[in-house]
Amino acid sequence: MLVMIYGFGIAGFIGGFIFGQMALYFLLRHKSNEELLNDCLLKLKYGLVGWGFAALGAYSFMEMYKYYFVSS
């Protein structure tokens, strides 16, 4: 049972990370390469967005696992 929640957490993390990359592609489509390479605040702000989506995906998949498999 412990392996299942780890599996759901990892799947959610990967799914959230992929969704975060798609969101970043949408948010950064009008930025130039020069802006992306030289603006440290931009790197920090949008870098955390990707990891935030990954963490949210892992959390939501683990909660779904607990709701559907543990409580029944």
Side-chain angles (χ1 to χ4, degrees):
M1 184 162 106
L2 187 63
V3 174
M4 286 289 291
I5 197 159
Y6 280 120
F8 269 76
I10 290 169
F13 186 82
I14 292 170
F17 192 75
I18 290 170
F19 186 74
Q21 291 301 305
M22 291 188 312
L24 287 174
Y25 179 75
F26 177 75
L27 292 172
L28 297 173
R29 69 184 184 276
H30 297 299
K31 302 288 184 192
S32 69
N33 287 340
E34 197 66 32
E35 283 179 289
L36 294 174
L37 290 174
N38 295 328
D39 191 358
C40 291
L41 185 60
L42 189 70
K43 288 180 188 179
L44 179 67
K45 183 169 99 174
Y46 287 108
L48 291 176
V49 167
W51 287 106
F53 273 108
L56 187 62
Y59 175 74
S60 63
F61 268 56
M62 287 189 292
E63 288 298 316
M64 282 191 291
Y65 172 77
K66 284 193 257 180
Y67 181 77
Y68 288 112
F69 294 106
V70 175
S71 63
S72 55

